[in-house]
Amino acid sequence: MPPRMRCLTGSIPKSPPSRRLLTPRSRRVQFFTPDMLETVHEIAIYIHRFHNLDLFQQGWYQIKISARWEDGSLESCGTPSRVIQYEAPNIVSDDIFAVWRIDDADHSFFTHPFKIKYARQDVPLSIMVSFNFATGKYERPASSAAILKFELMYAPLLENGHEIQASIEMFPTTVHEFRIPPKALHGLHSYCPVHFDAFHAVLVDLSVHIVFLKAGTSIQEKVPSTSLMVENIADGNYGSNQILGQGWSPKAIEIVKSLFVSREILMEETRNLSRAIGQKIDDLHNADLNLGRFEFIGSSLRTDLSTANTGISGSSMGVGHLAGMLQNILEKSNGNVDFENDVMLYSLSKEELLDVYFTMGNQLSFLWNTFLNFHRINRIAILEHLHGVWAMDRKAEWSIWMVHSKIEVPHRYLKSGADDSSHHNALGKVVGLRKSNDEPAQGATTRAELHRKSIAQMKINSHSIQDMYIFGDPSHVPVVLVEQHVIDVPNNSSSHSPDPNDAAIPTAPGKNVVPKFSLGPKRNCRVLRAVVFVHGFQGHHLDLRLVRNQWLLIDPGAECLMSEANEEKTTGDFREMGRRLALEVVAFLRKKMDKLSRYGGCKVTKLSFVGHSIGNIIIRSALTESVMGPFLKHLYTYMSISGPHLGYWYSSNSLFNSGLWLLKKLKGAQCINQLTSTDDPDLQNTFFYKLCKQKTLENFKNIILVSSPQDGYVPYHSARIELCQASSWDQSKKSHIFMDMLNNCLDQIRAPSSERRVFMRCDVNFDTSSQVRNLNTIIGRAAHIEFLETDMFAKFIMWSFPEFFL
């Protein structure tokens, strides 16, 4: 075995033996200033499982982990300090090469290699590795952030039958980094999913736990008595400069304060976790918490934490003694133990400050190791809780890139033109003439750009882990403008009397609605939640895989159909494409229902659709087919991504319009004639006019229209199903037909077929500053395709409103 490599195969290492504590007079210890107050930031990473969502290549994979300071001027980096395989890998021998290793050359950790053979495959890893950041010569808590780096390593399957060898070389494929701000290095307990990138769609479930410790205590399993240090100090064998030399006091006080903060965070987080999962920590009963000559102090201040809902029954004596000792030492400040006040700490003698340092450091070490053991025993329950907290935090953290507003949808859009009526808006109110820069698309772009500029001045959370995909360059992340609409139910509806309950006023997502954590797809044997993804013009069935992957992360039990019925068949009649999709969906649902019926029956509870571009028109056409009739009552969420719901009338993109004309002339594409409403001389007999009259939208519980003002392929108003200014000034029959189509669609959205109707418009503004100016950007195709090549917009929308996707 090479001297710089350490390996372990399959076995769980024994806990290191507790140190034998000597009596105070058994020996004398000489302290030296340089290493007296050394501390360490320890980062424990629990790697629970590797879940393959959508890797394109079979082969051997492993994860490499390293840690470094963000400040490049700091010489030291995180060093792996201990590894615990807390559960034996439950995989057949052919699928795992059971060796994890530490590379001392670059201070990195490698999980064991594992074989990936199919999508949605779970590989339990069940391993903990901790990295230590020693403060070393800096002698104080870190002021720099730390970077955790995760690399996905890959090696292909060999063709000679021997699929892996001990010496096989694995090479990196992709990287995902996280930033830990300096404040978080004092203490943190967080779920931290690793997703890598769009071409390596996986989920690595892991949690990160951080503490600030006195150096040399991070691997002890038993809290040593502090009597050794206390008695030696009491012997008076050192001068003050030997203990805390000239100029050391500010550093020492900062270290003691940081230890106290770390201890308080650890105690609070342990208490929260213990309470959240309903488990107490009982490993502290037999702990040696002797405080030496301070044993008799503060007995009246002892707190029984086991009866104070802390869940740490055995630590009451030690914590109470520590509180009493500190209370006694700080009598000069009227007994107010406030470690944020430097004046009180400066009032301590150097010997007393050193006592506090050792006492608190040893207490921290014991609590930290006890927590890690508690975590291993209750790892699933703790991970479930941390996942729920993480999911809730996404709404607040990612709101930086989202702008919310509520807008009332009018009863009916009214026709206006160049006459006097043209000065009335959709509600019939008089308005001034619009300037060109007030166009809705331009207005949305301006708002997004102003918001993007303000992001640099926003305060970023400095107490949580930051995903560098987002926080690495925050101003280049897509900005999403979310309009939650208040539905005004028509008062003159011929089908029913108005009812206050018919009005759907979408509100912010429920506080308790979060995606559920799962160590694998958990399916209710009698419930089917199906999601159908439909590609656009000349698209591929995997075009929407990034959105699908986000859906599966929110709801691992969802059954997804990536429609192939119209692949290479998107130039024909929308009616035929809709019929093919309907038959494909029904066959898919019946197959899933038959499979689940073996477990005692099955029912479809939610049927959702996601479409891109003209895929949305194919979806709406499919919903008019009779074979879909029995399933319409189960329609749940409809997510339309840049769909031309009102066709291509009033498109302002002259280049794209010319391309459509060429397609009609050269290719004879029937769908293009339908999109431009040139498929019939009578406009009221065209496909789009008839489609808008059919009730294709009113059965969905949630309707989310995703658009982009940068998308030149689909008219902005058509993707949003809203009034177009150009139609307001058009006096031809065409504008009246267009207004009918618009109002017919909105009537379906307002229809009270559901007791609760959510209607949202989401504008996505992509960062185009780094895009090369080419034909794609000129004609607007870049933004249209960006919906398929990035999942950031989908993350923001879906994780902010998870109840729509569960």
PDB file of all heavy atoms in Angstrom, residues 486-502:
ATOM      1  N   VAL A 486     -55.783  37.029  -9.486  1.00  0.00           N
ATOM      2  CA  VAL A 486     -57.073  36.935  -8.827  1.00  0.00           C
ATOM      3  C   VAL A 486     -58.131  36.751  -9.903  1.00  0.00           C
ATOM      4  O   VAL A 486     -58.262  37.576 -10.811  1.00  0.00           O
ATOM      5  CB  VAL A 486     -57.363  38.211  -8.011  1.00  0.00           C
ATOM      6  CG1 VAL A 486     -58.739  38.129  -7.367  1.00  0.00           C
ATOM      7  CG2 VAL A 486     -56.288  38.407  -6.953  1.00  0.00           C
ATOM      8  N   ILE A 487     -58.864  35.663  -9.825  1.00  0.00           N
ATOM      9  CA  ILE A 487     -59.860  35.348 -10.853  1.00  0.00           C
ATOM     10  C   ILE A 487     -61.181  36.015 -10.507  1.00  0.00           C
ATOM     11  O   ILE A 487     -61.757  35.779  -9.444  1.00  0.00           O
ATOM     12  CB  ILE A 487     -60.054  33.825 -10.979  1.00  0.00           C
ATOM     13  CG1 ILE A 487     -58.716  33.123 -11.175  1.00  0.00           C
ATOM     14  CG2 ILE A 487     -61.010  33.502 -12.112  1.00  0.00           C
ATOM     15  CD1 ILE A 487     -57.973  33.547 -12.405  1.00  0.00           C
ATOM     16  N   ASP A 488     -61.651  36.857 -11.400  1.00  0.00           N
ATOM     17  CA  ASP A 488     -62.940  37.522 -11.233  1.00  0.00           C
ATOM     18  C   ASP A 488     -63.995  36.673 -11.930  1.00  0.00           C
ATOM     19  O   ASP A 488     -64.090  36.647 -13.154  1.00  0.00           O
ATOM     20  CB  ASP A 488     -62.877  38.922 -11.841  1.00  0.00           C
ATOM     21  CG  ASP A 488     -64.203  39.646 -11.751  1.00  0.00           C
ATOM     22  OD1 ASP A 488     -65.017  39.251 -10.902  1.00  0.00           O
ATOM     23  OD2 ASP A 488     -64.418  40.597 -12.522  1.00  0.00           O
ATOM     24  N   VAL A 489     -64.799  35.965 -11.141  1.00  0.00           N
ATOM     25  CA  VAL A 489     -65.814  35.086 -11.724  1.00  0.00           C
ATOM     26  C   VAL A 489     -66.902  35.931 -12.367  1.00  0.00           C
ATOM     27  O   VAL A 489     -67.404  36.890 -11.768  1.00  0.00           O
ATOM     28  CB  VAL A 489     -66.425  34.182 -10.638  1.00  0.00           C
ATOM     29  CG1 VAL A 489     -67.498  33.292 -11.234  1.00  0.00           C
ATOM     30  CG2 VAL A 489     -65.335  33.343 -10.010  1.00  0.00           C
ATOM     31  N   PRO A 490     -67.291  35.633 -13.615  1.00  0.00           N
ATOM     32  CA  PRO A 490     -68.289  36.455 -14.319  1.00  0.00           C
ATOM     33  C   PRO A 490     -69.621  36.472 -13.583  1.00  0.00           C
ATOM     34  O   PRO A 490     -70.087  35.448 -13.100  1.00  0.00           O
ATOM     35  CB  PRO A 490     -68.417  35.774 -15.685  1.00  0.00           C
ATOM     36  CG  PRO A 490     -67.508  34.605 -15.679  1.00  0.00           C
ATOM     37  CD  PRO A 490     -66.783  34.542 -14.396  1.00  0.00           C
ATOM     38  N   ASN A 491     -70.206  37.651 -13.515  1.00  0.00           N
ATOM     39  CA  ASN A 491     -71.494  37.786 -12.845  1.00  0.00           C
ATOM     40  C   ASN A 491     -72.659  37.450 -13.765  1.00  0.00           C
ATOM     41  O   ASN A 491     -73.764  37.214 -13.301  1.00  0.00           O
ATOM     42  CB  ASN A 491     -71.667  39.224 -12.343  1.00  0.00           C
ATOM     43  CG  ASN A 491     -70.699  39.536 -11.226  1.00  0.00           C
ATOM     44  OD1 ASN A 491     -70.416  38.686 -10.401  1.00  0.00           O
ATOM     45  ND2 ASN A 491     -70.196  40.768 -11.210  1.00  0.00           N
ATOM     46  N   ASN A 492     -72.422  37.457 -15.058  1.00  0.00           N
ATOM     47  CA  ASN A 492     -73.505  37.212 -16.007  1.00  0.00           C
ATOM     48  C   ASN A 492     -73.358  35.865 -16.673  1.00  0.00           C
ATOM     49  O   ASN A 492     -73.786  35.660 -17.795  1.00  0.00           O
ATOM     50  CB  ASN A 492     -73.537  38.314 -17.054  1.00  0.00           C
ATOM     51  CG  ASN A 492     -72.230  38.396 -17.825  1.00  0.00           C
ATOM     52  OD1 ASN A 492     -71.248  37.782 -17.425  1.00  0.00           O
ATOM     53  ND2 ASN A 492     -72.233  39.163 -18.922  1.00  0.00           N
ATOM     54  N   SER A 493     -72.728  34.929 -15.985  1.00  0.00           N
ATOM     55  CA  SER A 493     -72.543  33.601 -16.565  1.00  0.00           C
ATOM     56  C   SER A 493     -73.895  32.948 -16.744  1.00  0.00           C
ATOM     57  O   SER A 493     -74.746  32.959 -15.861  1.00  0.00           O
ATOM     58  CB  SER A 493     -71.646  32.748 -15.643  1.00  0.00           C
ATOM     59  OG  SER A 493     -71.624  31.424 -16.101  1.00  0.00           O
ATOM     60  N   SER A 494     -74.108  32.367 -17.908  1.00  0.00           N
ATOM     61  CA  SER A 494     -75.370  31.698 -18.193  1.00  0.00           C
ATOM     62  C   SER A 494     -75.443  30.319 -17.599  1.00  0.00           C
ATOM     63  O   SER A 494     -76.511  29.736 -17.497  1.00  0.00           O
ATOM     64  CB  SER A 494     -75.575  31.620 -19.715  1.00  0.00           C
ATOM     65  OG  SER A 494     -74.490  30.895 -20.290  1.00  0.00           O
ATOM     66  N   SER A 495     -74.332  29.795 -17.171  1.00  0.00           N
ATOM     67  CA  SER A 495     -74.295  28.408 -16.716  1.00  0.00           C
ATOM     68  C   SER A 495     -74.548  28.276 -15.231  1.00  0.00           C
ATOM     69  O   SER A 495     -74.969  27.239 -14.754  1.00  0.00           O
ATOM     70  CB  SER A 495     -72.948  27.758 -17.047  1.00  0.00           C
ATOM     71  OG  SER A 495     -71.902  28.482 -16.405  1.00  0.00           O
ATOM     72  N   HIS A 496     -74.336  29.372 -14.468  1.00  0.00           N
ATOM     73  CA  HIS A 496     -74.514  29.259 -13.029  1.00  0.00           C
ATOM     74  C   HIS A 496     -74.602  30.649 -12.421  1.00  0.00           C
ATOM     75  O   HIS A 496     -74.265  31.644 -13.044  1.00  0.00           O
ATOM     76  CB  HIS A 496     -73.358  28.505 -12.399  1.00  0.00           C
ATOM     77  CG  HIS A 496     -72.083  29.269 -12.424  1.00  0.00           C
ATOM     78  ND1 HIS A 496     -71.387  29.473 -13.590  1.00  0.00           N
ATOM     79  CD2 HIS A 496     -71.407  29.940 -11.439  1.00  0.00           C
ATOM     80  CE1 HIS A 496     -70.309  30.194 -13.323  1.00  0.00           C
ATOM     81  NE2 HIS A 496     -70.315  30.510 -12.035  1.00  0.00           N
ATOM     82  N   SER A 497     -75.081  30.699 -11.200  1.00  0.00           N
ATOM     83  CA  SER A 497     -75.119  31.955 -10.467  1.00  0.00           C
ATOM     84  C   SER A 497     -73.783  32.198  -9.820  1.00  0.00           C
ATOM     85  O   SER A 497     -73.101  31.255  -9.425  1.00  0.00           O
ATOM     86  CB  SER A 497     -76.213  31.891  -9.389  1.00  0.00           C
ATOM     87  OG  SER A 497     -77.471  31.662  -9.977  1.00  0.00           O
ATOM     88  N   PRO A 498     -73.421  33.462  -9.691  1.00  0.00           N
ATOM     89  CA  PRO A 498     -72.130  33.752  -9.080  1.00  0.00           C
ATOM     90  C   PRO A 498     -72.081  33.269  -7.639  1.00  0.00           C
ATOM     91  O   PRO A 498     -73.068  33.331  -6.913  1.00  0.00           O
ATOM     92  CB  PRO A 498     -72.023  35.276  -9.178  1.00  0.00           C
ATOM     93  CG  PRO A 498     -73.415  35.765  -9.376  1.00  0.00           C
ATOM     94  CD  PRO A 498     -74.133  34.682 -10.108  1.00  0.00           C
ATOM     95  N   ASP A 499     -70.961  32.773  -7.251  1.00  0.00           N
ATOM     96  CA  ASP A 499     -70.742  32.238  -5.904  1.00  0.00           C
ATOM     97  C   ASP A 499     -69.395  32.716  -5.417  1.00  0.00           C
ATOM     98  O   ASP A 499     -68.400  32.576  -6.126  1.00  0.00           O
ATOM     99  CB  ASP A 499     -70.767  30.708  -5.944  1.00  0.00           C
ATOM    100  CG  ASP A 499     -70.743  30.107  -4.539  1.00  0.00           C
ATOM    101  OD1 ASP A 499     -70.148  30.725  -3.639  1.00  0.00           O
ATOM    102  OD2 ASP A 499     -71.315  29.012  -4.364  1.00  0.00           O
ATOM    103  N   PRO A 500     -69.340  33.287  -4.237  1.00  0.00           N
ATOM    104  CA  PRO A 500     -68.041  33.753  -3.739  1.00  0.00           C
ATOM    105  C   PRO A 500     -66.986  32.672  -3.702  1.00  0.00           C
ATOM    106  O   PRO A 500     -65.797  32.939  -3.822  1.00  0.00           O
ATOM    107  CB  PRO A 500     -68.365  34.254  -2.317  1.00  0.00           C
ATOM    108  CG  PRO A 500     -69.839  34.553  -2.346  1.00  0.00           C
ATOM    109  CD  PRO A 500     -70.426  33.571  -3.305  1.00  0.00           C
ATOM    110  N   ASN A 501     -67.422  31.428  -3.539  1.00  0.00           N
ATOM    111  CA  ASN A 501     -66.446  30.338  -3.493  1.00  0.00           C
ATOM    112  C   ASN A 501     -65.831  30.050  -4.841  1.00  0.00           C
ATOM    113  O   ASN A 501     -64.848  29.325  -4.943  1.00  0.00           O
ATOM    114  CB  ASN A 501     -67.106  29.063  -2.954  1.00  0.00           C
ATOM    115  CG  ASN A 501     -67.526  29.213  -1.501  1.00  0.00           C
ATOM    116  OD1 ASN A 501     -66.850  29.902  -0.743  1.00  0.00           O
ATOM    117  ND2 ASN A 501     -68.637  28.587  -1.133  1.00  0.00           N
ATOM    118  N   ASP A 502     -66.450  30.598  -5.923  1.00  0.00           N
ATOM    119  CA  ASP A 502     -65.908  30.354  -7.249  1.00  0.00           C
ATOM    120  C   ASP A 502     -64.638  31.151  -7.487  1.00  0.00           C
ATOM    121  O   ASP A 502     -63.838  30.809  -8.342  1.00  0.00           O
ATOM    122  CB  ASP A 502     -66.930  30.733  -8.334  1.00  0.00           C
ATOM    123  CG  ASP A 502     -68.108  29.773  -8.345  1.00  0.00           C
ATOM    124  OD1 ASP A 502     -67.954  28.679  -7.780  1.00  0.00           O
ATOM    125  OD2 ASP A 502     -69.147  30.135  -8.899  1.00  0.00           O
TER     126      ASP A 502
END
